[in-house]
Amino acid sequence: MTSTSATQAEPSSGTADRAAVREEAEGLLRRLVGRDDAVLREDQWTAIEALAVDRRRALVVQRTGWGKSAVYFLATALLRARGAGPTVIVSPLLALMRNQIEAAERAGIKAVTINSTNLDDWEAVHADISSGGVDVLLVSPERLNNPSFRDEVLPRLAATTGLLVVDEAHCISDWGHDFRPDYRRIRTLLGDLQTGIPVLATTATANERVTRDVAEQLATSRAEDAELERQGVLVLRGSLDRESLRLGVVRLRTAQQRLAWLAEHLGDLPGSGIVYCLTVAATEEVAEHLRKAGHTVAAYSGRTETAERQSLEADLIAGRVKALVATSALGMGFDATLGFVVNLGAPASPVSYYQQVGRAGRGTPEAPAVLLPATEDRDIWAYFASLAFPREQQVRDTLAALAEQGTSSTAVLETYVDLSRTRLETMLKVLDVDGAVRRVRGGWESTGQPWTYDEERYRRVTEAREREQQAMLDYLDTDECRMAYLRRQLDDPLPEGASAACGRCDNCGGLDLAASVSDDALSAADEALARPGVTLSPRKLWPTGLANLGLDLKGKIADGPAEGRAVARLTDLGHGQALRALFTARVDDQDGPVPPGLVQAVLEVLGDWPEARAVSSVAYVDSTTRPQLVRDLASGVSRSLGVPIVARLAVVDPDVEPGRGAANSARRVAAVQRRYALELAPDRDEVTGTVLLVDDLQVTGWTLTVAGRALRGAGAGAVLPLTLGLQA
């Protein structure tokens, strides 16, 4: 289906000329795909014609596998043959860039990339661009705001670019499911383009609200570019249905049942695929269990090193692994023929869910997409929602600090603003696009320009997110066709006269999923999840800028605690469930003795921890919210090990409330230093030997770092932290 936001321009060439251009494009297509019988579909030609003939701006919303890359490569070849400058493609992922470079070569197009992994090649790439030897330049959105690239390279690109392509364009919109602030810099690039330069934005997943927002941003143009304003932005939106997908939901009550189902049924799924998890910890936990169950799998997340990512992606494409157990880091632009997708936990919206399942079913007749929802999904959604744009006062504090301090790095700004590094960076990127701050060598500076906090927009985005979460919950329980439900959420209307039932999902009778697991599989999963013990890695460096907060601490932490242990992460599938219940209870109900199940888990952790055998005493961190829990944990460990409690990190400044400064390291260290002081037991004037330092929950690690340092200063030879939970 083709729609336009304005009347199309008069043809810039006659019908015969257009036919000749189409014939030329189809010749190039045959080279690209390696088939002599390949022809363009009408919707593909419409997009190419708009770009290469009419020099328009276009937004293409089409499902994965439709051929969006063919459109911009063929348009590039046509434009280059007519003397246009190189195409610039803004692409979000290195994996996507690698695929695109390989595809371009097949069509005889020279493509190069500038990203964080090829810094040494930049000068040579720039020289090739200047000499006309490059047809396509792929850049990451983050590169657009690198000071030297923005100031030195971007103006030259804007002056010479023949076609601008924005891949995964839903990232431009903060209404989209994967908004990235760096993408907003594209608006500046659009405004700086020469008159008549065509622009293409593409995405596989966008509802009507996101489509409209992206189209409006594409319409940004120079005031004198009246022709473009008259034409408007061409929007080509096709059906997002993937006929090979077989959608289904398996509702299982416990994490053990879900893990057992996956271990038992993974081998029944066709080909190779992806098992999506909501957290990094879950990918590692699930992958380990599946390997022990005999499956060839590997974990993949944002923490996976670049070289290893490339190797794992190649293994999946070649079918050398049954599955990658991945976070959404394995997502946009990953080009492979996959037989299935399993979601262990539901994404926060139908749109993001459909993008993930859309990885499967390309080039396969059938591809099951199985969702195994969990009760803890909503907690994880809430955590990610907490990373939304900061409150106005926090933004104003940041702007004031920049105005007063001058150019400042993010690390220094952290000491003035109670925000995490990630949220602070994201906020600064938005402020940069809005013109309130500017990224420069050495950090950020204030522009002094007035800035308005768009509270109404942020509120509406939050409300939209909440509606999407409810829509995802409704998807789990719906008895209507699942494909029809998802298409409606993506504002993807059914063709006139088409049935609302896909005939392929579990609700339509096209997919039969067993909800049972064998006793053996359940027992193995139960054993895996019951095994406690997570490493607590010690902090190695003091945060930058502590001198701004009156603390003479910097560099390496030479006198902190050693590596510690926690029973489990709060996001873990096993003991994480009991820990989440413990730490999210109402204030009046959250204190008390350590629950029996966690008592046994603590004893198992100590029994499996060789260093704990050298412990000669116990210390603990005082608590005002869970004092009984912490004291019970410390005394229980003391009795079990047969060693005394020799000290506590006591609350000496109750005005510093629990958790203050937890958003960033520098302010957290300052808050802990004020709140606590080491108190030795009445019969002690020093601490010796190895001390087990007990706390209920590690959030940032700075409380245990400061406490361990105090114990070392009082004479302890080594300090081993032990907590019930790890918030990670």
Side-chain angles (χ1 to χ4, degrees), residues 209 348-350 381 385 459-474:
R209 182 173 59 240
S349 77
W381 298 348
R459 182 187 61 78
R460 287 188 284 118
V461 170
T462 299
E463 291 173 351
R465 295 281 185 269
E466 292 170 352
R467 289 194 297 271
E468 290 172 348
Q469 291 178 10
Q470 185 57 52
M472 195 67 222
L473 295 174
D474 293 341

Side-chain angles (χ1 to χ4, degrees), residues 76 80 86-87 101 104-105 107-112 128 133-137:
T76 293
R80 291 287 281 164
T87 291
I101 290 173
E105 289 175 350
I109 296 171
K110 174 66 181 299
V112 297
D128 284 347
V134 171
D135 299 309
V136 173
L137 173 66

Side-chain angles (χ1 to χ4, degrees), residues 400-725:
L402 276 175
E404 181 177 346
Q405 301 298 321
T407 301
S408 298
S409 67
T410 310
V412 170
L413 281 175
E414 277 187 312
T415 63
Y416 297 99
V417 185
D418 193 15
L419 290 170
S420 67
R421 179 73 57 89
T422 300
R423 291 189 74 197
L424 182 57
E425 282 277 5
T426 300
M427 181 188 73
L428 288 167
K429 289 174 181 178
V430 173
L431 293 175
D432 189 353
V433 174
D434 289 345
V437 305
R438 177 179 171 83
R439 191 168 192 165
V440 295
R441 289 182 177 86
W444 301 85
E445 66 180 13
S446 171
T447 64
Q449 297 297 316
W451 179 81
T452 302
Y453 187 85
D454 195 349
E455 184 174 0
E456 175 64 17
R457 181 176 178 84
Y458 300 135
R459 182 187 61 78
R460 287 188 284 118
V461 170
T462 299
E463 291 173 351
R465 295 281 185 269
E466 292 170 352
R467 289 194 297 271
E468 290 172 348
Q469 291 178 10
Q470 185 57 52
M472 195 67 222
L473 295 174
D474 293 341
Y475 172 80
L476 304 178
D477 296 325
T478 186
D479 58 1
E480 72 169 297
C481 170
R482 295 197 188 277
M483 181 59 74
Y485 182 95
L486 290 179
R487 291 181 67 178
R488 188 169 66 253
Q489 291 298 316
L490 271 72
D491 300 316
D492 182 26
L494 291 169
E496 188 174 347
S499 171
C502 70
R504 307 183 303 266
C505 68
D506 56 351
N507 286 344
C508 289
L511 179 65
D512 185 18
L513 294 170
S516 60
V517 293
S518 68
D519 291 341
D520 288 345
L522 186 58
S523 177
D526 205 14
E527 181 181 348
L529 297 184
R531 189 182 306 115
V534 175
T535 298
L536 299 178
S537 299
R539 290 282 191 170
K540 299 183 183 301
L541 295 170
W542 292 111
T544 304
L546 285 176
N548 295 335
L549 300 172
L551 298 176
D552 186 21
L553 298 170
K554 61 182 179 180
K556 292 183 178 180
I557 302 173
D559 51 358
E563 185 179 87
R565 294 289 187 275
V567 170
R569 305 176 188 87
L570 266 61
T571 55
D572 281 348
L573 302 177
H575 290 288
Q577 186 171 350
L579 290 167
R580 285 192 300 274
L582 179 66
F583 291 114
T584 59
R586 292 183 305 133
V587 174
D588 294 341
D589 300 333
Q590 64 184 343
D591 196 23
V594 179
L598 291 177
V599 169
Q600 182 58 38
V602 170
L603 296 178
E604 289 183 41
V605 169
L606 291 172
D608 292 339
W609 190 5
E611 289 79 2
R613 295 168 195 153
V615 167
S616 57
S617 61
V618 172
Y620 66 93
V621 179
D622 217 349
S623 172
T624 55
T625 55
R626 287 179 286 269
Q628 185 179 353
L629 179 73
V630 175
R631 287 195 299 267
D632 184 63
L633 177 60
S635 60
V637 169
S638 171
R639 290 192 303 271
S640 175
L641 296 178
V643 298
I645 297 176
V646 297
R648 66 173 180 152
L649 199 68
V651 176
V652 295
D653 188 349
D655 290 338
V656 181
E657 64 273 13
R660 178 186 290 186
N664 74 63
S665 292
R667 295 173 72 88
R668 182 58 183 161
V669 170
V672 171
Q673 291 276 25
R674 280 184 53 199
R675 178 174 167 80
Y676 295 104
L678 184 67
E679 290 186 0
L680 302 183
D683 59 342
R684 300 276 170 172
D685 54 13
E686 66 175 350
V687 180
T688 59
T690 299
V691 180
L692 190 73
L693 174 60
V694 173
D695 200 358
D696 55 351
L697 177 67
Q698 174 173 306
V699 178
T700 66
W702 287 116
T703 299
L704 293 174
T705 299
V706 171
R709 182 170 179 264
L711 286 166
R712 292 284 303 277
V719 178
L720 305 179
L722 173 70
T723 69
L724 292 175

